[in-house]
């Protein structure tokens, strides 16, 4: 059966929950990005998520829950931190990594002794999770190494010919993947920056949140992984605002916070000079630019301030050297 994109009516949400129960896959809107959802305790369904994405099987998934009350079905928190963060920030764009509970299948955690858990705040995601009742494993609904989808159209562009039911929950309001916090040891570590900031986490916990000692934020802790993630097909290059001002334009494709100069000769997309609004539009803008098959996308660097941390992280990843599986397309 080809992909179906459906309005999130109660009838269609019930159909999507039924699809999950039957071991099928659902495109699930969340406030961050769209997920490719499967019943987390169904090993065959989870395996088909990895296959469809082309994702290595040792790269763990986030399990989405309808409420924090389900946390103990999946995880065994070391101490009160998980409960405190869940109380303050769930539902929301925050993923907690805790030691996993007995009986959690290896397929979902990539064999790791830990598990990533999140209660999303998008009303359609919550409706689906409640209708399904259990945990839903959902990576971002894109091919491995590519940009995360922030609309149902993006999911269709990634997986249009696949047997997938997509609930259309509109454009994701946050637009970047969730903040991931590691609570598996005595230190609290930020693994991936997102809309919930390090400062907010520190304020809620009343303690310091560390950046990981070696890897950059968000690097999955699995062998053979690469910094490049969240990448458009075209190679991207980060330039300072000053360097951008010196460029002439002919044939160049640019993503910037400033207006295009009057005589600019190339393509130019502008995003707001506000971190949250920029984040919400980033992946859609990169997809639009990428669709013109540019030789490269030149991106104006964003400020060094804390509120830009998540955007900076994704821009640096998009511009990092790429693994073989995600080599830039030829622009033919
Ligand atoms: O906003 C989001 O988090 C979206 C929506 C759909 O919820 N999901 C998402 O999933 O971004 P995915 O699979 O694209 O990214 C999951 C990240 C990966 O970097 C993975 O390495 C990390 O979560 N992760 C999962 N389980 C982990 C674990 N046990 N320990 C450390 N990192 C883990
Ligand atoms: Mg992803």
């Amino acid at each position: 059966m080809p992909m179906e994109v459906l309005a999130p009516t109660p009838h269609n949400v019930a159909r999507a929950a039924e699809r999950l129960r039957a071991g099928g896959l659902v495109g699930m809107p969340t406030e961050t990005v769209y997920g490719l959802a499967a019943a987390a305790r169904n090993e065959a369904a989870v395996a088909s998520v990895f296959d469809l994405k082309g994702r290595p099987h040792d790269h763990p998934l986030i399990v989405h829950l309808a409420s924090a009350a389900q946390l103990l079905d999946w995880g065994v928190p070391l101490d009160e931190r998980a409960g405190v963060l869940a109380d303050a920030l769930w539902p929301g764009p925050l993923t907690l990594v805790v030691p996993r509970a007995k009986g959690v299948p290896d397929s979902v955690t990539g064999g790791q002794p830990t598990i990533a858990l999140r209660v999303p705040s998008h009303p359609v995601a919550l409706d689906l999770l409640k209708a399904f009742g259990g945990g839903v494993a959902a990576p971002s609904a894109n091919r491995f190494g590519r940009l995360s989808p922030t609309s149902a159209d993006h999911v269709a562009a990634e997986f249009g010919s696949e047997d997938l039911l997509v609930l259309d929950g509109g454009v994701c309001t946050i637009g970047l993947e969730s903040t991931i916090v590691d609570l598996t040891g005595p230190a609290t570590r930020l693994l991936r920056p997102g809309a919930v900031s390090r400062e907010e986490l520190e304020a809620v916990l009343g303690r310091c949140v560390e950046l990981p000692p070696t890897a950059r934020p968000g690097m999955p802790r699995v062998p053979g992984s690469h910094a490049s993630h969240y990448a458009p097909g075209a190679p991207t290059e980060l330039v300072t605002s000053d360097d951008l001002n010196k460029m002439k334009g002919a044939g160049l494709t640019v993503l910037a916070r400033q207006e295009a100069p009057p005589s600019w000769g190339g393509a130019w997309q502008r995003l707001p000079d506000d971190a949250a609004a920029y984040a919400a539009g980033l992946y859609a803008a990169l997809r639009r630019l990428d669709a013109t098959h540019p030789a490269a996308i030149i991106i104006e660097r964003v400020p060094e301030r804390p509120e830009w941390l998540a955007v900076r992280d994704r821009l640096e990843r998009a511009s990092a050297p790429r693994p073989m599986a995600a080599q830039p397309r030829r622009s033919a």
Side-chain angles (χ1 to χ4, degrees):
M1 231 206 302
M3 170 182 288
E4 284 180 281
V5 179
L6 301 174
T9 59
H11 173 76
N12 289 336
V13 169
R15 269 188 65 194
E18 194 44 51
R19 176 77 70 110
L20 292 176
R21 274 190 282 275
L25 304 186
V26 170
M28 173 175 75
T30 85
E31 72 280 22
T32 58
V33 300
Y34 275 69
L36 185 60
R41 292 200 194 268
N42 182 328
E43 302 230 28
V46 171
S48 64
V49 168
F50 283 96
D51 291 344
L52 201 58
K53 277 186 66 95
R55 171 156 159 157
H57 285 254
D58 59 357
H59 196 126
L61 304 181
I62 296 171
V63 173
H64 297 70
L65 307 172
S67 99
Q70 293 168 305
L71 196 153
L72 297 178
D73 296 344
W74 297 88
V76 189
L78 290 184
D79 52 35
E80 76 298 340
R81 284 170 296 169
V84 169
L85 289 172
D87 277 352
L89 298 164
W90 278 357
L94 175 67
T95 296
L96 303 177
V97 178
V98 295
R100 74 177 187 183
K102 276 208 185 70
V104 172
D106 276 339
S107 49
V108 89
T109 67
Q112 304 208 40
T114 57
I115 186 158
L117 300 169
R118 166 162 121 84
V119 177
S121 64
H122 193 298
V124 176
L126 286 173
D127 285 349
L128 177 62
L129 290 164
K130 281 179 197 145
F132 176 66
V136 165
S140 52
N142 52 279
R143 308 264 176 199
F144 185 62
R146 297 301 190 185
L147 296 170
S148 295
T150 54
S151 71
D153 284 350
H154 295 169
V155 181
E158 294 281 330
F159 298 118
S161 57
E162 305 292 344
D163 182 10
L164 190 64
L165 187 163
V166 181
L167 291 173
D168 187 348
V171 172
C172 303
T173 52
I174 288 175
L176 294 185
E177 304 79 3
S178 60
T179 302
I180 305 182
V181 183
D182 180 358
L183 304 174
T184 60
T188 304
R189 295 207 163 96
L190 187 67
L191 296 183
R192 181 172 72 184
V196 172
S197 69
R198 185 184 183 193
E199 293 72 23
E200 202 172 351
L201 295 169
E202 290 182 336
V204 168
L205 286 172
R207 58 197 281 171
C208 170
V209 173
E210 296 176 9
L211 296 175
T214 50
R216 293 151 17 100
M219 283 283 280
R221 293 174 305 169
V222 296
S225 64
H226 297 258
S228 169
H229 236 112
Y230 318 109
T236 58
E237 188 189 345
L238 295 176
V239 301
T240 63
S241 306
D242 280 354
D243 285 345
L244 184 58
N245 288 331
K246 289 179 205 136
M247 291 179 174
K248 286 289 169 264
L252 295 183
T253 296
V254 168
L255 179 63
R257 287 170 294 123
Q258 49 178 299
E259 290 271 21
S263 57
W264 185 259
W268 188 287
Q269 282 267 326
R270 188 180 182 200
L271 284 172
D273 196 13
D274 165 85
Y278 185 109
L282 175 61
Y283 289 152
L286 285 173
R287 273 177 192 268
R288 273 196 301 275
L289 291 174
D290 210 26
T292 66
H293 302 285
I297 302 174
I298 292 167
I299 305 177
E300 181 183 11
R301 284 188 183 276
V302 297
E304 291 293 322
R305 293 195 298 278
E307 68 268 27
W308 288 91
L309 179 65
V311 167
R312 244 180 3 252
D313 170 75
R314 303 313 190 276
L315 292 181
E316 277 161 20
R317 271 160 210 291
S319 309
R322 295 167 183 212
M324 290 311 289
Q327 286 296 318
R329 266 198 317 265
R330 298 278 157 261
S331 55

